[in-house]
Amino acid sequence: MSAAAFMPPVAADGHSRRFIATMVFVLGALSATAPIAIDLYLPAFPAMADALGTPRAASSSP
């Protein structure tokens, strides 16, 4: 019996495999957005403090 016999083109709830794969990709991309955004702007704090003329310690305090 081939592997294709075990993987039907439609999932049990009626959604196609392509739809499920797209949803997995979209949800993964959305959940990765926040950590990437934090990693991008945190290194810029010293440059932002210099540009605004404030001490660097003031830019990292809550």
Side-chain angles (χ1 to χ4, degrees), residues 7-8 11 14 16-17 20-21 25 30 32-33 37 41 46 50 56 58 60:
M7 300 181 71
S16 69
R17 293 178 53 89
I20 293 172
F25 175 77
L30 286 174
T33 301
Y41 85 84
D50 292 341
R56 288 186 180 192
S60 62

Side-chain angles (χ1 to χ4, degrees), residues 1-42:
M1 190 171 259
S2 70
F6 294 112
M7 300 181 71
V10 176
D13 60 354
H15 293 295
S16 69
R17 293 178 53 89
R18 184 179 183 104
F19 174 79
I20 293 172
T22 302
M23 290 304 296
V24 167
F25 175 77
V26 168
L27 292 175
L30 286 174
S31 62
T33 301
I36 290 173
I38 290 171
D39 289 342
L40 290 176
Y41 85 84
L42 279 179

